[in-house]
Structures are given as C-alpha cells and as structure tokens.
Amino acid sequence: MHVPAPGGGRRRVRLVVDFGPASVVSAIYHWRIDDRLTPRAITTRLHGIPDPTLLPVDPTSGLPRPWAPAAVARVLANPVYTGATVWGRTRAGRPVPPDEWVICLGAHQPIIDGRTFHHAQLLAPPGAGIFSAQLPPWEFVDPPTDPGNTNGGQGPIT
C-alpha cells in the first residue's frame, strides 16, 4: 500500500512495513548470505512455509502464487528493502545501469541494512549484482521520524 507522506507533494510516497512478508524478505537475505543458498534453493525452502499470506501476490489477479527463483532473485536485487526509493531503473523499456538511477536513501523503514544488501550483491552471479556509488552500504540510515505518523510507521508494504 502506498502511504502519502504528510506535507509531501502528490507524488511523495512513504512505504511502511508489513511484518509478515518482511520476515520472509529478511529470511531470503539470511539464507543467501549466511547459508550461501541460490535463489532456486531459497525457493525450495520457501515452498516449505505453509502460511499462504506469506506468498507473493500476482499483480494481475491479486491471488497468491508460489515463489519462483526469478521472484527471489528480484528480492535480492531490490534496494527498496534497505529503505531506499529508486526511480529510473528503465528508460524506454530498457534497463538503466544502477549508477544512473535516482535513489532516495532513508525514504521509508528498512527491512535489511545496506551492508546486508551489499553482501548479497557480492554473492550474485557475475554481472547480476546491483552496485552503484549511490548505494554505499555504510550510508543507509534509518528514515527520519515522522511526527505526523501516529501509528509508529507500522502498516503494510505492497
């Protein structure tokens, strides 16, 4: 769910964490880094989770669908889980190098820290890791507190 930030323009969005799916994202990074599992092996582990609310949702039908290695790889390559918001990943339907992305650090509550994200990128197959001078692992910070947010930043991410 997109949550408009107080005082922001109509395009400003702040995401908040849904702790069920966030625990799956955290586990995916843990299994990749600590257990050195591939996206395919992580998918096999995820299939052992019986809770259907922790499955990815098909954007077209809105129904849960099983985890696939490509979905796990997308999670591992997405800096949004560090609290960053990223624009400009594609131009005219073609991928743009990460150094050309527009990145807003600390835009929302992180699920993983920047060092964890960076470590996962180091384990990615050659040419698949997301590396950018805009994504130094030591510069990911907690988002600023938002006095207008009365629920303490808790709520769903979609």
Side-chain angles (χ1 to χ4, degrees), residues 32-148:
R32 179 69 181 127
I33 294 167
D34 297 338
D35 298 346
R36 304 292 173 136
L37 297 181
T38 64
R40 182 168 304 284
I42 291 169
T43 301
T44 300
R45 253 191 210 180
L46 288 168
H47 288 166
I49 297 174
D51 186 348
T53 65
L54 301 180
L55 293 172
V57 174
D58 184 300
T60 305
S61 69
L63 298 172
R65 63 179 175 203
W67 281 97
V72 170
R74 280 192 303 274
V75 168
L76 290 168
N78 194 341
V80 73
Y81 302 112
T82 65
T85 297
V86 181
W87 295 274
R89 289 187 207 197
T90 61
R91 192 173 300 126
R94 295 193 172 130
V96 172
D99 280 337
E100 296 179 25
W101 294 352
V102 176
I103 299 170
C104 176
L105 301 175
H108 54 269
Q109 183 180 359
I111 295 172
I112 59 161
D113 60 54
R115 286 193 171 116
T116 299
F117 179 79
H118 185 74
H119 195 166
Q121 303 319 296
L122 294 173
L123 295 172
I130 304 300
F131 297 100
S132 169
Q134 298 180 63
L135 292 169
W138 56 89
E139 289 206 11
F140 284 100
V141 295
D142 291 332
T145 55
D146 183 355

